[in-house]
Amino acid sequence: MFESILQRLGVEPVHSGVGFGTWVMRPGGGEIASLNPATGQPLAQVLTATREDYELVVEKASHAFQTWRTTPAPQRGEIVRQLGQALRECQHDLGLLITLETGKILSEGRGEVQEMIDICDFAVGLSRQLYGLTIASERPRHRMFEQWHPLGIVGVITAFNFPAAVWAWNAAIAAVCGDPVVWKPSCEAPLTAIAVQNICDRVAARHGLEGLFGLCTGEADPIGAAMVEDRRLPLISATGSCAMGRQVGPAVSRRLGRTLLELGGNNAAILTETANLDLALRAVLFSAVGTAGQRCTTMRRLIVHESIADEFIARLARAYASVPVGNPWEDGILMGPLINERAVQAMARALAAAQSQGGVVLFGGNRLDRPGWFVEPALVQIDPTAAIVAEETFAPILYVMTYKTLDEALALHNSVGQGLSSAIFTDRLTDAEAFLSPRGSDCGIANVNIGTSGAEIGGAFGGEKDTGGGREAGSDAWKAYMRRQTCTINGGAELPLAQGVRFDVS
Ligand code: UN1
């Protein structure tokens, strides 16, 4: 039924997962199956890379860098503009493939492609705005300024849950900054990566840009390991679990490379006694249940003022019971399956742990009796000190807890290791401002009367503490993809030294 989509996106039933403008026809790594999580059935098979295949991709990228780094940035932007155009043309097909491969609902699959288009547009504008500063020199007739140069090949490691958009955040910005990209996609979503690579290849081929965008599908060992050790990749941008970040970060640091880490979240919302509950209900539902709880920005904790807790939790439980779970490509469905059997097991384990730690399941948590990896979203009332609350389980579990004072709520909010996204729902300005103040949310993203998920690309995206500290996408995140050079020019015939130092030979 979906073969024609794969065909239109150039994904063969058995496809190479290694390419850089042309496909390596027989990469030597193992074969992996991409499964449709709604049926458990394979969509297609992908041939993965060996270290030798990886070498080839990096060689092509190194070669591309030689010309790309001196191509004027606005011309680089033109290529990204064409990429955005190509994405617009296949938004429906690519969105559907994302839905088939990850299980996110079609509206979110299309939304993910929209996020790619948006970041391309952003990067095109940015290609004329890679500004450096001019700095006042203390020395007479001297001029001091900063300029930004391309950094080199950027290694991009992405997770299954945003199999295309997170690559695009990195690739579009890297490309205008003058950097080729070598991409290791998740082995859970390799077909989306192949389809995206095909789109890149069509655009790059028009301009003879082989190697600018490279794809190297494979497991953490050998491909992830090869990337983190490779000095030819000055920046590794990796999205995934905190555990993954704890391996990647030190390994890249050992060679003094740069990392941009976007790791786990344990995002909370505080609901104050003045919150607009209708608005909050919709926001909580989207953030906690959307994408079946498999966003790094998913709301995992709800901290509710005790005066409104009974009413709000009862309404939320009713809303949970009315969420249509089913085939993610069908109209009206709001929650598709989890990504695989392991995810279903992890959710069951977390719920058992929550219950053994005093938690009460108010709704959901059961596996659906059908093929694929479907579960009900779960709402759990629990004491905030329960150990499980500090963990990120990549599943639709929302832990609900109550508070008396805002200080108490802020302390609870910041009590976990992760620091990605956060929200407060309130109609009282002083509460909102407290949340946004230095004593408020300790996260990279802090929202008022908006859920924790669904950020726009124009802002810098990322978080603090165990989330890894990286910032991708908008604002000045581009600076991570370039090297800064401070330049001083002496326009005079004297050689005055800084700090008034004298060093004259008499
Ligand atoms: C992720 O889950 O890794 O803010 C990215 C959001 C999306 C991106 C999520 N724009 O929820």
Side-chain angles (χ1 to χ4, degrees):
M1 155 185 176
F2 294 117
E3 286 82 5
S4 57
I5 298 292
L6 292 173
Q7 237 167 36
R8 283 208 293 279
L9 291 166
V11 182
E12 307 286 335
V14 181
H15 203 292
S16 167
V18 186
F20 41 77
T22 50
W23 292 103
V24 173
M25 287 325 286
R26 291 255 138 238
E31 191 171 312
I32 53 174
S34 171
L35 305 182
N36 179 344
T39 61
Q41 296 303 308
L43 291 160
Q45 309 287 323
V46 176
L47 305 173
T48 64
T50 58
R51 277 217 179 221
E52 290 70 38
D53 299 317
Y54 168 78
E55 271 305 308
L56 189 60
V57 178
V58 174
E59 265 168 41
K60 296 289 178 185
S62 301
H63 188 72
F65 184 53
Q66 301 310 313
T67 49
W68 192 242
R69 65 183 172 180
T70 54
T71 303
Q75 286 183 30
R76 300 194 295 244
E78 170 57 18
I79 305 302
V80 175
R81 191 190 66 75
Q82 292 182 22
L83 180 60
Q85 186 54 33
L87 287 165
R88 280 179 171 86
E89 282 157 19
C90 63
Q91 181 165 16
H92 172 77
D93 286 351
L94 186 58
L96 182 51
L97 176 57
I98 292 170
T99 287
L100 294 178
E101 202 171 31
T102 69
K104 66 175 69 175
I105 61 170
L106 195 49
S107 160
E108 294 191 53
R110 285 180 59 87
E112 175 154 0
V113 183
Q114 188 60 46
E115 198 159 343
M116 303 171 82
I117 294 166
D118 292 344
I119 196 73
C120 285
D121 286 356
F122 180 90
V124 175
L126 182 66
S127 72
R128 292 182 185 268
Q129 302 176 76
L130 301 169
Y131 300 136
L133 297 173
T134 299
I135 297 144
S137 171
E138 67 189 56
R139 287 166 284 182
R141 301 178 73 171
H142 279 52
R143 187 161 73 81
M144 193 156 58
F145 61 94
E146 290 177 344
Q147 56 180 358
W148 294 85
H149 285 314
L151 186 64
I153 305 167
V154 177
V156 177
I157 298 174
T158 56
F160 79 84
N161 65 331
F162 274 80
V166 172
W167 168 84
W169 294 352
N170 285 280
I173 302 292
V176 298
C177 289
D179 304 330
V181 167
V182 171
W183 180 16
K184 184 191 115 47
S186 161
C187 286
E188 303 290 344
L191 304 183
T192 299
I194 290 168
V196 169
Q197 183 69 30
N198 274 331
I199 295 165
C200 289
D201 288 354
R202 275 206 306 280
V203 174
R206 288 185 220 138
H207 306 275
L209 289 170
E210 182 178 80
L212 181 59
F213 299 108
L215 178 67
C216 201
T217 309
E219 301 288 351
D221 184 15
I223 302 309
M227 289 169 81
V228 299
E229 286 158 16
D230 194 336
R231 293 178 63 85
R232 294 168 298 178
L233 274 52
L235 172 65
I236 299 290
S237 174
T239 301
S241 66
C242 296
M244 180 274 282
R246 287 198 180 89
Q247 296 202 325
V248 169
V252 178
S253 295
R254 260 197 302 281
R255 63 169 169 92
L256 302 180
R258 281 190 208 172
T259 52
L260 199 167
L261 298 177
E262 201 249 283
L263 309 175
N266 192 346
N267 317 296
I270 297 175
L271 243 72
T272 75
E273 56 276 47
T274 63
N276 174 335
L277 297 188
D278 295 336
L279 180 146
L281 187 73
R282 293 182 53 214
V284 171
L285 209 61
F286 172 62
S287 283
V289 174
T291 333
Q294 298 174 112
R295 290 193 189 211
C296 52
T297 50
T298 290
M299 190 184 295
R300 309 205 177 277
R301 298 178 295 137
L302 185 62
I303 306 167
V304 193
H305 191 265
E306 57 176 12
S307 65
I308 53 165
D310 288 349
E311 181 196 344
F312 189 78
I313 294 168
R315 284 183 67 183
L316 195 57
R318 280 199 299 278
Y320 264 61
S322 69
V323 169
V325 180
N327 287 332
W329 54 85
E330 282 173 19
D331 277 352
I333 295 297
L334 292 184
M335 191 178 116
L338 295 183
I339 188 68
N340 55 27
E341 181 65 30
R342 276 196 315 284
V344 175
Q345 300 299 336
M347 178 168 175
R349 272 198 311 278
L351 288 173
Q355 282 168 306
S356 75
Q357 293 166 21
V360 177
V361 178
L362 302 175
F363 176 83
N366 297 305
R367 182 180 199 150
L368 301 195
D369 184 19
R370 55 177 285 177
W373 296 293
F374 290 92
V375 292
E376 296 164 341
L379 194 59
V380 179
Q381 185 143 28
I382 197 163
D383 188 276
T385 58
I388 192 71
V389 175
E391 278 177 38
E392 177 194 43
T393 303
F394 225 54
I397 304 176
L398 181 64
Y399 298 118
V400 186
M401 53 209 81
T402 57
Y403 76 92
K404 287 187 171 58
T405 67
L406 187 63
D407 282 345
E408 188 193 339
L410 292 174
L412 280 180
H413 180 277
N414 293 344
S415 66
V416 296
Q418 309 87 339
L420 179 56
S421 186
S422 61
I424 190 167
F425 290 86
T426 185
D427 277 353
R428 195 188 287 147
L429 181 70
T430 49
D431 290 346
E433 288 293 335
F435 186 72
L436 299 179
S437 77
R439 72 179 183 96
S441 164
D442 61 2
C443 293
I445 298 170
N447 296 333
V448 176
N449 293 340
I450 294 176
T452 53
S453 64
E456 303 175 21
I457 57 88
F461 184 95
E464 303 302 331
K465 304 195 292 183
D466 295 356
T467 303
R471 291 296 186 278
E472 296 171 293
S475 185
D476 65 351
W478 62 270
K479 290 178 177 171
Y481 302 79
M482 301 199 86
R483 62 185 169 89
R484 183 197 313 239
Q485 191 167 61
T486 304
C487 308
T488 311
I489 301 175
N490 180 0
E494 306 294 319
L495 190 69
L497 299 180
Q499 296 89 42
V501 171
R502 305 212 61 92
F503 204 82
D504 298 323
V505 193
S506 55

